[in-house]
Amino acid sequence: MVPDYKEIKIVDDYTVRFITKAPTPEALYMLENISIVPPKYFQEWDKKDYAHLTRNMVGTGPYKFVEWVKDDHITLVFNKEWWGKKVDFERVILRPIPENATRVAALITGEIDACWGVSIPDIPAWKRTKTPM
């Protein structure tokens, strides 16, 4: 869901002003999932093919997409053209581990460096390792 806009103004190269039709305190939360893409890409996009957005990565950010292996991992590397603050890692591999016990075991053994979603019963085992979550 997006706010009900009255007007959107481009202030300068780094500022966009959103004017809503009514007070919208949750506007920032609503904007969290909106993607910014180059105009040409958006104009050429077939609006019936929503999966296209996930298959073809576009945009800007501190990392560049390198590889996606479905149901296994996504690899990102530092974007040397990134204009923001310095990142902590040159390379990041994101790997889904849906099974909680497997995810915690990977964290405890050092197979992965960090994770989220550690269940409450697994916290004492994790704390003994002093590994970041």
Side-chain angles (χ1 to χ4, degrees), residues 95 97 99-119 122-123 125-133:
R95 194 176 80 183
I97 306 175
E99 171 55 44
N100 194 43
T102 305
R103 186 173 51 251
V104 172
L107 179 66
I108 290 171
T109 63
E111 180 182 339
I112 61 175
D113 296 316
C115 75
W116 58 84
V118 174
S119 67
D122 291 318
I123 291 175
W126 162 77
K127 280 186 174 180
R128 288 191 295 272
T129 70
K130 309 226 184 316
T131 307
M133 229 185 304

Side-chain angles (χ1 to χ4, degrees), residues 8-9 27 39 48 52 58 61 65 70 80 92 110 122:
I8 299 174
K9 291 182 177 183
K48 290 177 236 137
H52 179 75
V58 297
F65 170 77
K70 187 176 178 4
K80 292 183 170 111
V92 175
D122 291 318

Side-chain angles (χ1 to χ4, degrees), residues 35 37 41-42 44-57 68:
S35 300
V37 297
Y41 175 85
F42 184 76
E44 293 174 357
W45 170 55
D46 178 0
K47 293 180 179 44
K48 290 177 236 137
D49 182 12
Y50 293 105
H52 179 75
L53 291 176
T54 60
R55 289 193 312 266
N56 299 298
M57 304 210 182
W68 173 39

